[in-house]
Amino acid sequence: MVNLVLFDAGLMGYSLAVHILLVTVGMTLPIMMSIAEFVSIKYKIKLYDVLAKRLANALIIFFAVGTASGVVVAIELFVLWPKFISVLGQVGILPLYMEIFAFFTEAIFLGIYIYFWNKFKSRMKHWLLSVFIAIGAVMSGVFITMINAFMNTPNGFNIPYYLSTGKIIDVNPFAVLNTPTTWVEIGHVIGSTIFAGAAFFLAYFAYKLLKTKGMEREYYKKAAKIAAAIVIISIILTVIIGIESITNLMVYQPEKFAALEMNFNSGPHVAEVIGGFLVNNKTVDSINIPGLMSFLATGSFNGAIASNDSLAAYPKSTWPPVAVVHNTFDIMVGIGVLIGVVMIIFLLIWLLNIRKIRDKFESNHFFNKILSNKIFSDPFDNPLVLKGLIVIGVLAGFLLEDGWVTDEVGRQPWIIYNVMTVSAAANTSPSIVPIGIAIIAFYIVVLPATLLFVRNVIKKRDLNSELGVKQ
Amino acid sequence: MNIYITLNYSLLAILFAFLLAEAMSAITFIYDRQSLPKVKKYLDPIWGVVGTFVVFFVVNAEVLYPSIMPYIDYLYVFPILVATLLFIGRNLFLVFSEYIWKDSKFSPLMLARVYSLITFIILLILLSIFVSIISGVGVNSTLTSFSAAAFLSNIYAVGFIVGTLLIAFGLSFAFYKVDKMKFLSPISTVIGLLLFIYSMHGLNLNINYITYIIAAAIAAVSIVYFITGKTRREAIFVAAFLSVISINFLNYGKVFGTKSLYTYLNNSALSYASVLVTIVGGVILTAMLIFFLYMYKLPEDKNNDYNNVEYKDDEQKIGIANLYIIPNNNKVNGKEHKTGKNGKR
């Protein structure tokens, strides 16, 4: 007999895991498209115009799949978790409702942007649409993250009364827009989503830079520069906000914090646990750095960690799968910081290749000698760097999924933290199983088919004819 | 009359008008291959908006009647999830039909026809759920199970759906200006309307003179198109909107046949907040749709900036744009460029 609660959770998790990949692309594409069109208008460079048009075409295809996937996730949310959605509907659904209007903004302006491209007399007015599309895409993410923040730190109703009677009173629907974790979570989620999306594109453009030459290579180089700029800005912001979100966890979700850190200790000079597993409530095979957790949390190696930031303060029945979330958390932090450092080095090399800056340094004999090293050559022409960017693209996807698993599994067994468990919210109708399997199979086909289709659409296009070059 | 219920009915009516237009396009694709460019001209810019409207209605219903959702989830989980899956197919095939390359083995028409078939099935499922919810056919008294067999063996429920599809077929001629065998337009519409009204009687749904006025107006659209070859799309949208809203208002406040919708209505502060959001969002949405319509009607301007722009040469030095635009060197990654024996890549 299938465990229907587990099946619901698995189905929802699987659908979201695929959906967030589409979201990264859907959120980043309009930003890149908008930048490309703006540069094209401002500096009258046709390659950017072509880039904007190609990105717009890719966007409409991803939009088609992304919106459909979004509907699947929304419907799953309603169908698989009826009791959760019932509470959400009475207390915290306002952000989801607002998201619809953000979504409309994106859908309507995207339709106008693409299908009525030649009806605009002024290019700037047309470009302005791309700004609204980007705002719509980002705001959709902002609103849906508000729901997630509500699940992590619920507010807006009388929780003790609900827990004792099952009835919802004292509803403040606008409180959901501003839970204690909302804004930090939004910053981290939106930053990491845009980072991952831009990193995917950067990887693709880097691959094309390795494979093309002439004008086509120039085209991909321009595209890669836009993507690289977005990656650098977003990864730095994501890491900074990520640090803030850990502090936030300590205060508002201490049990989750304790699980992520696999921490059983409190008081001064608490060690940071890196890696490891949990055997009989004891940490094994981990690397312990004495005092580091105290330092990270308080700024002092002898700083005190509160007792509620230790797993020992909670019954084992409410712990999430500790070893899983602890390791996914460590991997996320490790890879995230590593990519951040690599991209800062990348930025420095990139800046050093701007003619004016390079000229200044090259006038100095010492720097001239250093800069003549191959590592300081234009990063977009360096095959080693380009291969590195492809690796970063792959890692970015992994990082995004890893971070999402950390957040969601870290909240288990709760669907609404300390209010409702996942098992209490689940739909246990057996009719879900066959159609759930169909959804899983469908996604397996849909995502690769879409990528293949977009690849072919772009591949079949002739850059020269798009540029208006007579052959 | 309750403002929340009225609002929800209005959204359903708008959604139905959009869906009907899509269903008509689906029928047209199958029926007449020559209609592809005409239909795509309408469909391409609007399909994303229709999809969003589906979510709009679902979320609005959830906001207003959160306690009814668990019943609907249990009763219709299978058809809802099937429709959702098909919805992905709808989007995919429509966009694939638009961007498919010339030498592909799949033609735009073929992909559009697959889209049509999928859209058609989605409409069938949604109509079935709608009929079941308003009439209670197929649902047991405790709202715990739905019997597809009971639903399909109810001649009036089936008649309601078939009638709607016949009306859609009849109106599709006028909506997309299809000339092929256009005499079918009034015949199909009138038969559909008769079947539709007969089924409403059978389902114990209320009918009064408003029903007949709207039915006459819908029939008139088809007849006028058959005689004059002229029509207005807006008239069909309005007719579809009015017919759905009238069905709901005639059966005001009832759900699953006899149960009161008021008992499921969310009485928390959230309802009030949702109305505020709907008003603000609705004004913005209306403004955007008016802009969309304006652009749709606007002819292409050959004298636009795109046709007049003089692109600068890449070698020109233009300030900060250097960072993005000017290549620092013209190196080509020779090592990575694999060349064939004839020197071609």
Side-chain angles (χ1 to χ4, degrees), chain A residues 44-214:
Chain A
K44 296 185 176 163
I45 305 295
K46 197 160 190 178
L47 275 176
Y48 282 101
D49 223 11
V50 174
L51 176 63
K53 279 186 182 168
R54 283 189 176 188
L55 291 175
N57 287 337
L59 177 59
I60 195 87
I61 297 167
F62 276 108
F63 182 80
V65 185
T67 48
S69 171
V71 171
V72 171
V73 170
I75 298 289
E76 276 183 359
L77 205 61
F78 283 79
V79 171
L80 299 180
W81 315 103
K83 284 172 192 140
F84 160 71
I85 213 75
S86 181
V87 170
L88 191 73
Q90 293 172 71
V91 182
I93 205 165
L94 220 50
L96 195 62
Y97 200 43
M98 289 173 172
E99 191 208 358
I100 303 296
F101 295 102
F103 206 35
F104 268 125
T105 307
E106 193 183 355
I108 293 172
F109 285 127
L110 184 62
I112 300 171
Y113 184 83
I114 290 176
Y115 297 107
F116 309 138
W117 192 296
N118 291 325
K119 289 187 177 183
F120 281 85
K121 197 169 171 61
S122 157
R123 295 194 66 189
M124 282 310 271
K125 283 181 187 164
H126 183 260
W127 167 76
L128 206 58
L129 291 177
S130 71
V131 177
F132 283 110
I133 295 166
I135 290 172
V138 171
M139 287 311 290
S140 295
V142 167
F143 288 128
I144 207 70
T145 309
M146 284 177 173
I147 298 282
N148 193 266
F150 169 77
M151 291 160 77
N152 285 328
T153 45
N155 68 350
F157 67 117
N158 191 330
I159 293 174
Y161 186 81
Y162 175 75
L163 291 174
S164 59
T165 65
K167 288 183 179 152
I168 290 171
I169 59 165
D170 302 337
V171 173
N172 176 3
F174 293 103
V176 181
L177 304 175
N178 191 25
T179 76
T181 56
T182 300
W183 296 102
V184 172
E185 205 175 309
I186 286 171
H188 194 56
V189 168
I190 301 298
S192 56
T193 306
I194 293 174
F195 155 71
F200 290 154
F201 282 103
L202 184 57
Y204 173 71
F205 296 141
Y207 172 77
K208 295 304 274 186
L209 281 171
L210 287 167
K211 295 286 176 191
T212 53
K213 59 183 176 181

Side-chain angles (χ1 to χ4, degrees), chain B residues 209-224:
Chain B
Y209 70 97
I210 296 171
T211 318
Y212 294 102
I213 291 173
I214 292 171
I218 293 171
V221 170
S222 278
I223 293 164
V224 167

Side-chain angles (χ1 to χ4, degrees), chain B residues 157-192:
Chain B
V158 175
F160 188 99
I161 294 165
V162 173
T164 308
L165 295 177
L166 282 172
I167 296 167
F169 178 65
L171 290 178
S172 67
F173 290 86
F175 199 84
Y176 294 109
K177 294 199 168 77
V178 177
D179 287 328
K180 187 181 173 184
M181 296 171 81
K182 70 175 178 181
F183 66 91
L184 287 174
S185 175
I187 295 172
S188 177
T189 306
V190 171
I191 294 174

